[in-house]
Amino acid sequence: MSHRKRRRQSRASHSDVTPADDVKLLPVSVETHAVIEPGHTYGSVTDKISAIVLTRKTSRGWIFGFAVSFALMMAFMYATAYLLAKGIGIWGTTIPVGWAFPIVNFVWWIGIGHAGTLISAVLLLLHQDWRTSINRFAEAMTLFAVSCAGLFPLLHMGRPWVFYWMLPYPNTMDLWPNFRSPLVWDVFAVMTYFTVSSLFWYMGLIPDLATLRDRSKNWLSRIIYGMLAMGWRGSAAHWQRYQTAYLLMAGIATPLVVSVHSIVGMDFAASIVPGWHTTFSPPFFVTGAIFSGFAMVMTLMIPLRSIYGLQDFVTMRHLDNMGKVILATGSIMFYGYASELFFAYYSGNEYERFVTINRVLGPYGWSYWALIACNVITPQLLWCDSLRNNLVVLFVVSLIVNVGMWLERFIIVVVSLHRDFLPSSWRIYQPTIWDYTHLIGSVGLFLTLLFLFVRFLPVISIFELRELVRETDAEA
Amino acid sequence: MDVIPPAERLYGLLAEFDVAEAVVDAAHQAHAAGYRQMNAYTPFPVEGLSAALGQRPTRLPWVVLIGGVLGGVTAYATMSYASIVSYPLNVGGRPLNSWPSFIPITFELTILGAAFGAFFGMLALNGLPHPHHPLFNVPAFSLATRDRFFLCIQSRDPRFELEQTRAFLQGMSLHVHEVQP
């Protein structure tokens, strides 16, 4: 039975039978949660969400959180200034481990970004109505995560000021980028991803910006939101083109997500390094991205919905479904780890076998076991309905998954590099304080942008919630 | 209102509704009555409204297709020109026309071109940005982004006749507002 049907039944039973029968009829399961709590009208969803931006006083918690994030962002700026002045030798990155924290962070952040597009585009194409309450926030998360990710390939260059040499433009040297390198593909992938996600996000915002323009009492915000809304009037002709554009954007964003992280995966897969040169890298990276991205949405959504009182819109059903996606992708990750082990053995290649043994039992063995604990064992808790409906469990699991996914990128990047073909080129990698500053500072940058977003833009898509109200009314 | 301004000085008449079905119904009736210069304004997309108003399906998908094709062709052509014609280099012993390596960028730029087509095509066809519009002169119109539905018959419609049109709209709506130009 489809979700929709089942929900309709539970809804019907609410209205037709007495409360006592109701309890008996409804199985105690998550299916009884609606995607939006009953009793909302177009007006109430509009007012409730626009109030967060327009009338609600900026809370102390917001100011405190913003201050902390901003301070961390300043640490990032400081570390970057020092990096530009001194050179990349301030990091622990050396030979043979030429790629370390910056690339680990890059892949981690861009992976986190993927859930946003997945929620807004893929779930739209699949007609999943539970995407409505979380898509705006997830898309914003994508943008900010990609902003963090995009910095690392730039900063990681020895000479970042000539980054524009990676772009094809006619120049007096008659030189072009080498289009055979996955690092040049990355430039195009990440820039396209950032641009398309921004457009997609902004397009989704236009009707809501018009709502804020019409609701705001203050002339400055009316002018700013009015400019941003570009004169949106919600006419039938506008909506028709808008919906077509939105659907087409979703259709092109879906292959984009898959391709972007596949290209990131090819940075490794196109090399000859044992442990990197695996054909399953692209789908494996994409799965990991979904896994970590959903975990990050969950980490941020659980506090957000309780702080801003959004439990009516982001219900347990959303969190439950996200938990299921984490469980599903986590199981694919498990399959990935298992096939890594199997194919290393099956290849009969001594370097591949050694790399795998080194991952499991070598000097970084702790990170492998921590990875298994975080990414394989922890998500299995989500098989249990009661745990998947427990906010504390979900929150802790999502945090652990984020850590696990960072470790996974660390293992792929660093542990494969530090011991490969030539034993004379083996070396232990030791991150420095600047590696950590850039990692933690990038979290600060991400949170700073997120705090600003929560304060100045609607965290939930208002017009799509109105549509949802209409649909649920029609069903009832 | 005591003084009724002459019809040609108005932008049109704006009827207000409180449910989506009512505005679709009104659009059908207005179309049947012969009105063509009209549009409906809703807080969210209402299925069937555009068809009821007699609007044609959008040409936007063609814009997106053209954008995507342009993006992809430009990408592949640039890479081929750069790697084969302009400055052929032996990088890692790979052939000059390394077409499999050119696919990822071709793909990405196809997507980028299509996305530009979708976003800017939507804005252009909708005539946005257009921050000022006569409809914004009606105070109640701010509810079009909250919970009210509107149908506006413009005065440039040949069938527009202030009193008759007003009576026609009044029959089915909550209020009828005059829209000053």
Side-chain angles (χ1 to χ4, degrees):
Chain A
M1 208 191 299
S2 74
H3 280 289
R4 195 168 279 236
K5 241 186 218 160
R6 217 177 316 194
R7 244 175 335 110
R8 200 178 298 152
Q9 280 184 353
S10 69
R11 206 169 269 280
S13 61
H14 268 300
S15 52
D16 299 343
V17 294
T18 61
D21 292 337
D22 206 350
V23 176
K24 267 180 273 167
L25 273 173
L26 289 173
V28 185
S29 95
V30 291
E31 297 302 337
T32 55
H33 292 296
V35 278
I36 179 167
E37 291 297 330
H40 277 289
T41 61
Y42 308 141
S44 73
V45 294
T46 307
D47 295 343
K48 192 151 185 197
I49 298 165
S50 54
I52 296 175
V53 177
L54 296 174
T55 50
R56 207 181 141 110
K57 250 187 96 205
T58 308
S59 64
R60 280 187 192 187
W62 188 92
I63 293 171
F64 177 73
F66 181 75
V68 171
S69 315
F70 194 77
L72 288 177
M73 187 177 91
M74 287 298 113
F76 186 87
M77 303 287 265
Y78 181 79
T80 303
Y82 188 66
L83 173 83
L84 294 178
K86 283 278 175 184
I88 53 168
I90 65 165
W91 284 330
T93 314
T94 47
I95 300 301
V97 186
W99 279 3
F101 268 42
I103 300 299
V104 174
N105 299 341
F106 163 66
V107 183
W108 186 64
W109 274 122
I110 206 146
I112 285 170
H114 279 29
T117 318
L118 211 82
I119 288 170
S120 58
V122 179
L123 297 184
L124 179 80
L125 297 181
L126 297 174
H127 297 288
Q128 294 296 310
D129 55 4
W130 59 277
R131 83 179 258 289
T132 304
S133 309
I134 50 175
N135 71 330
R136 168 71 44 75
F137 185 78
E139 284 167 33
M141 190 194 78
T142 293
L143 278 186
F144 307 149
V146 176
S147 307
C148 294
L151 287 172
F152 284 105
L154 289 178
L155 297 177
H156 185 246
M157 290 180 193
R159 291 178 291 156
W161 45 92
V162 291
F163 75 94
Y164 61 90
W165 288 358
M166 289 193 300
L167 300 172
Y169 67 100
N171 53 56
T172 51
M173 302 175 288
D174 259 347
L175 282 173
W176 299 93
N178 168 27
F179 296 109
R180 299 174 189 92
S181 163
L183 300 183
V184 175
W185 304 348
D186 266 349
V187 177
F188 286 89
V190 174
M191 281 177 30
T192 301
Y193 190 49
F194 185 76
T195 313
V196 173
S197 317
S198 312
L199 293 180
F200 195 42
W201 183 66
Y202 184 58
M203 185 151 79
L205 270 168
I206 291 172
D208 285 358
L209 290 166
T211 298
L212 293 180
R213 170 197 69 200
D214 293 341
R215 300 276 84 70
S216 64
K217 303 270 179 274
N218 156 344
W219 65 272
L220 182 65
S221 60
R222 199 176 302 160
I223 287 174
I224 292 172
Y225 290 125
M227 299 284 265
L228 291 173
M230 297 194 289
W232 180 261
R233 306 182 281 287
S235 87
H238 284 187
W239 277 124
Q240 192 203 19
R241 297 191 191 101
Y242 181 88
Q243 277 193 303
T244 309
Y246 201 70
L247 195 64
L248 287 170
M249 280 285 239
I252 54 186
T254 304
L256 178 66
V257 182
V258 175
S259 73
V260 169
H261 219 67
S262 295
I263 288 175
V264 171
M266 283 188 252
D267 293 349
F268 306 98
S271 75
I272 55 164
V273 178
W276 282 12
H277 185 76
T278 48
T279 49
F280 80 178
S281 262
F284 184 57
F285 270 60
V286 174
T287 312
I290 301 167
F291 183 56
S292 65
F294 268 85
M296 188 58 107
V297 175
M298 197 121 111
T299 310
L300 300 169
M301 219 31 162
I302 290 173
L304 188 86
R305 74 195 272 277
S306 43
I307 291 167
Y308 286 100
L310 298 172
Q311 286 94 337
D312 281 6
F313 307 135
V314 184
T315 63
M316 280 316 292
R317 179 132 178 275
H318 294 95
L319 297 172
D320 181 64
N321 281 348
M322 284 196 272
K324 285 177 186 163
V325 175
I326 292 176
L327 176 60
T329 46
S331 305
I332 302 175
M333 296 304 287
F334 176 36
Y335 174 77
Y337 300 134
S339 60
E340 229 168 23
L341 293 179
F342 172 74
F343 283 107
Y345 158 75
Y346 192 66
S347 70
N349 180 312
E350 60 178 312
Y351 296 102
E352 283 289 344
R353 283 185 181 176
F354 171 75
V355 154
T356 310
I357 291 168
N358 187 46
R359 277 184 189 176
V360 181
L361 302 170
Y364 293 104
W366 59 269
S367 64
Y368 188 82
W369 295 109
L371 166 80
I372 295 297
C374 292
N375 281 5
V376 176
I377 296 167
T378 315
Q380 303 306 319
L381 291 175
L382 300 176
W383 283 106
C384 180
D385 271 351
S386 58
L387 293 177
R388 215 170 50 239
N389 279 278
N390 184 324
L391 285 180
V392 179
V393 172
L394 283 179
F395 186 70
V396 172
V397 167
S398 67
L399 277 179
I400 290 175
V401 166
N402 282 320
V403 173
M405 281 313 293
W406 192 89
L407 284 171
E408 188 205 286
R409 274 70 194 252
F410 176 82
I411 289 166
I412 291 176
V413 177
V414 173
V415 182
S416 307
L417 282 177
H418 91 117
R419 286 183 177 177
D420 59 1
F421 292 115
L422 270 181
S424 61
S425 304
W426 286 6
R427 191 160 171 184
I428 292 295
Y429 164 74
Q430 199 67 52
T432 66
I433 179 87
W434 299 106
D435 284 297
Y436 289 111
T437 312
H438 269 118
L439 169 61
I440 296 164
S442 67
V443 176
L445 169 64
F446 176 74
L447 291 176
T448 304
L449 293 168
L450 210 59
F451 271 107
L452 289 173
F453 160 70
V454 167
R455 180 66 192 79
F456 293 109
L457 291 169
V459 275
I460 294 180
S461 175
I462 309 176
F463 85 92
E464 284 175 296
L465 267 192
R466 290 189 205 115
E467 265 185 306
L468 196 65
V469 167
R470 179 170 152 86
E471 273 167 33
T472 44
D473 283 355
E475 272 178 29
Chain B
M1 211 178 281
D2 296 332
V3 185
I4 298 164
E8 60 270 20
R9 283 189 51 209
L10 280 185
Y11 172 78
L13 287 174
L14 184 69
E16 184 177 343
F17 303 87
D18 62 353
V19 282
E21 288 71 22
V23 75
V24 178
D25 202 36
H28 268 298
Q29 287 189 36
H31 193 261
Y35 292 109
R36 293 295 178 268
Q37 301 299 325
M38 58 179 176
N39 214 333
Y41 303 87
T42 55
F44 53 83
V46 175
E47 214 177 319
L49 182 57
S50 191
L53 289 162
Q55 289 167 351
R56 273 180 298 177
T58 169
R59 294 159 294 167
L60 189 67
W62 291 104
V63 180
V64 175
L65 179 68
I66 292 167
V69 170
L70 276 181
V73 170
T74 312
Y76 199 90
T78 309
M79 285 187 283
S80 305
Y81 171 75
S83 315
I84 304 167
V85 182
S86 172
Y87 202 138
L89 269 176
N90 180 348
V91 182
R94 279 179 264 183
L96 291 179
N97 183 17
S98 314
W99 68 266
S101 303
F102 297 164
I103 298 300
I105 293 180
T106 307
F107 182 84
E108 295 303 324
L109 290 191
T110 306
I111 302 258
L112 187 66
F116 278 147
F119 184 78
F120 294 106
M122 185 274 286
L123 288 186
L125 291 174
N126 278 346
L128 300 176
H130 185 183
H132 177 72
H133 194 273
L135 284 167
F136 295 131
N137 294 330
V138 179
F141 189 69
S142 70
L143 293 176
T145 55
R146 187 170 181 265
D147 59 351
R148 288 296 163 93
F149 304 81
F150 294 88
L151 177 71
C152 179
I153 299 182
Q154 296 176 17
S155 60
R156 62 193 172 98
D157 191 291
R159 292 200 166 237
F160 186 87
E161 222 282 284
L162 187 58
E163 289 315 317
Q164 278 169 13
T165 307
R166 187 200 301 275
F168 171 75
L169 288 173
Q170 237 150 14
M172 46 198 175
S173 62
L174 299 175
H175 305 284
V176 177
H177 308 274
E178 286 182 357
V179 186
Q180 305 296 338

